[in-house]
Amino acid sequence: MIDYSQIPSPSYVLDEERLRKNLELIRSVKERSGADIILAFKAFALWKAFPIVKEYIQYSTASSLSEARLAFEEMGNYAHTYSPAYTDEEFEEIASLSSHITFNSIQQYERRKPQLEAMDRHISCGLRVNPEYSEVETEIYNPCAPGSRLGITIDHFGEDLPQGIEGFHCHALCESSSYDFEKLLNAFEGKFAKFLPKLKWVNFGGGHLMTRKDYDVEHLIKILKAFRDRYPWLKVILEPGSAFAWQTGELVSTVVDIVENHGIKTAILNVSFACHMPDCLEMPYKPAILGATDEVEGKPTYRMGGNSCLSGDYVGSWSFDHELQIGERIVFMDMIHYTTVKTTMFNGVSHPSLYLWTKEGQPVLLRKFGYEDYKNRMA
């Protein structure tokens, strides 16, 4: 149990014990299902924690040159790389750092094919396919929405695959259940099964939230094994991000002021939803706060307001058992996955510090941010 009084505010704090519990489950799914599970940096890129991750999972996926470098330098392996587009300036270096490269269109693969053939190391190439089916309800996170730029729909394929293609990448989930994945599998096979005998691997992307309490892990293993029984020559890959860091840490903040407008009380914090918790505004969703509940009539109730100048930098409302006081700690739960990789320095608002709460019960500072970090971003 983290002693939040030992964590300076504002800070993200990652709990090693909870991280290891997630990693143990993920490794178990990998071993029991026969599928490869790799870490997606887009959700969790806290590289000073990678020595812990590598005890359980050794490989990772990248979406950019910087992520591919991180895989090579800090995970010690070539990345499984996918990006909607690769630029001329970066592609050669990305390829040098990748074991697998997935392309978002057939024409992009054909343009890059001569460069790949000229390399002194084989890189397994794949295409991202769009099954035109998804259970994701929030439009901004739905890669299969009508008109989506992500993935190739079946009508763009001929009778055969482009020469040299060894895999398909199908990503259409977001914090989804095994039953959502089962429906996706049915849609994927319904459209693309005829090509599978010609492939070596299929990557079913992220969104497999197997570490959530209500996730049916046994059902996931069952459908993965059944798929592998149908296509025993295919290597099956999953690349969840959120599942690795789900419920592994918090964002510790402080009440700086309390204002009231037309009966609405807002606790203004030393953190920002826009800068430090952007998914709360994008999704949108209301995070849990330690010691608070959803609004209860008759109890002291507050919006939480961020410290940027964006008028919409707030979320609410929460009820407490007492009137909040200036200087009081507010601890936002489950703030490690995606949140830590999406922070901005809008308004010059500094990033919260990064702490690891070790399994021995000690806080270890991983990174503190300051003026130079902001200034160098603008250079």
Side-chain angles (χ1 to χ4, degrees):
M1 182 70 177
I2 294 174
D3 180 358
Y4 298 107
S5 68
Q6 293 191 46
I7 304 297
S9 170
S11 294
Y12 299 103
V13 54
L14 172 67
D15 187 341
E16 180 181 352
E17 190 172 343
R18 282 182 274 163
L19 176 63
R20 286 185 180 276
K21 184 177 179 180
N22 283 356
L23 291 167
E24 286 168 3
L25 186 147
I26 291 168
R27 181 173 63 185
S28 172
V29 172
K30 175 182 183 295
E31 292 172 348
R32 294 171 60 198
S33 70
D36 281 351
I37 302 181
I38 61 180
L39 169 63
F41 288 161
K42 61 185 176 183
F44 182 72
L46 197 56
W47 57 270
K48 288 187 178 180
F50 287 176
I52 299 171
V53 174
K54 287 192 290 183
E55 293 179 30
Y56 303 84
I57 297 293
Q58 287 75 46
Y59 296 96
S60 53
T61 178
S63 304
S64 64
L65 173 56
S66 292
E67 288 189 346
R69 283 191 60 181
L70 196 66
F72 191 78
E73 294 175 6
E74 301 300 336
M75 286 290 283
N77 57 67
Y78 293 110
H80 291 239
T81 304
Y82 162 77
S83 173
Y86 300 102
T87 65
D88 291 340
E89 294 78 14
E90 294 185 347
F91 182 74
E92 187 173 345
E93 187 174 0
I94 285 175
S96 73
L97 298 167
S98 303
S99 60
H100 297 64
I101 296 183
T102 296
F103 294 87
N104 194 57
S105 69
I106 294 173
Q107 59 266 28
Q108 190 175 178
Y109 165 66
E110 296 291 0
R111 285 201 305 273
R112 301 298 177 187
K113 187 178 175 183
Q115 288 176 266
L116 292 165
E117 290 176 339
M119 295 191 67
D120 58 5
R121 177 175 56 84
H122 176 70
I123 297 171
S124 187
C125 292
L127 298 173
R128 177 166 179 170
V129 297
N130 184 334
E132 301 176 83
Y133 174 88
S134 177
E135 292 288 313
V136 178
E137 295 180 356
T138 305
E139 191 79 356
I140 193 174
Y141 297 116
N142 183 1
C144 296
S148 172
R149 77 194 195 285
L150 301 176
I152 308 162
T153 53
I154 189 64
D155 56 299
H156 284 84
F157 284 89
E159 289 303 309
D160 209 347
L161 291 172
Q163 186 178 5
I165 290 297
E166 297 183 346
F168 276 170
H169 180 117
C170 179
H171 172 51
L173 302 175
C174 178
E175 297 187 355
S176 302
S177 72
S178 62
Y179 298 92
D180 294 332
F181 179 43
E182 187 173 35
K183 294 174 187 176
L184 173 62
L185 270 181
N186 290 335
F188 169 78
E189 289 185 75
K191 291 182 181 293
F192 298 104
K194 68 177 182 179
F195 294 120
L196 299 186
K198 302 172 183 179
L199 298 178
K200 294 182 179 180
W201 54 268
V202 175
N203 184 330
F204 287 114
H208 310 271
L209 195 48
M210 62 189 74
T211 51
R212 187 174 57 197
K213 287 182 180 178
D214 62 349
Y215 191 96
D216 193 336
V217 172
E218 297 305 318
H219 181 247
L220 172 65
I221 292 170
K222 178 182 176 181
I223 60 179
L224 285 171
K225 291 175 75 172
F227 183 86
R228 293 184 63 242
D229 286 343
R230 292 194 295 277
Y231 310 101
W233 62 91
L234 286 177
K235 179 181 289 292
V236 177
I237 304 164
L238 307 181
E239 49 179 47
S242 295
F244 280 77
W246 184 257
Q247 298 286 353
T248 60
E250 287 72 54
L251 174 57
V252 180
S253 67
T254 300
V255 178
V256 178
D257 197 9
I258 298 173
V259 299
E260 186 171 352
N261 188 330
H262 287 270
I264 297 173
K265 291 183 178 180
T266 301
I268 299 181
L269 309 174
N270 63 345
V271 295
S272 162
F273 290 97
C275 299
H276 308 139
M277 299 172 275
D279 277 356
C280 295
L281 303 181
E282 287 179 7
M283 180 65 87
Y285 83 97
K286 180 182 173 183
I289 291 177
L290 185 67
T293 64
D294 287 335
E295 188 170 359
V296 177
E297 188 174 354
K299 284 192 171 186
T301 299
Y302 303 83
R303 279 181 177 174
M304 295 296 129
N307 60 344
S308 81
C309 70
L310 178 69
S311 59
D313 188 2
Y314 70 88
V315 174
S317 295
W318 288 266
S319 292
F320 295 80
D321 290 332
H322 61 281
E323 298 284 348
L324 291 183
Q325 303 296 315
I326 293 172
E328 186 168 342
R329 291 290 184 89
I330 299 294
V331 179
F332 290 95
M333 311 304 289
D334 195 22
M335 282 292 161
I336 300 298
H337 62 93
Y338 276 104
T339 301
T340 53
V341 297
K342 281 189 169 185
T343 54
T344 74
M345 284 189 168
F346 170 62
N347 268 180
V349 174
S350 289
H351 293 328
S353 298
L354 294 166
Y355 276 84
L356 175 69
W357 187 265
T358 68
K359 59 184 179 181
E360 291 79 24
Q362 297 296 321
V364 175
L365 176 65
L366 301 180
R367 177 75 188 274
K368 185 176 177 64
F369 298 88
Y371 169 68
E372 292 301 325
D373 297 290
Y374 169 72
K375 185 178 180 182
N376 290 337
R377 285 172 65 101
M378 300 297 106

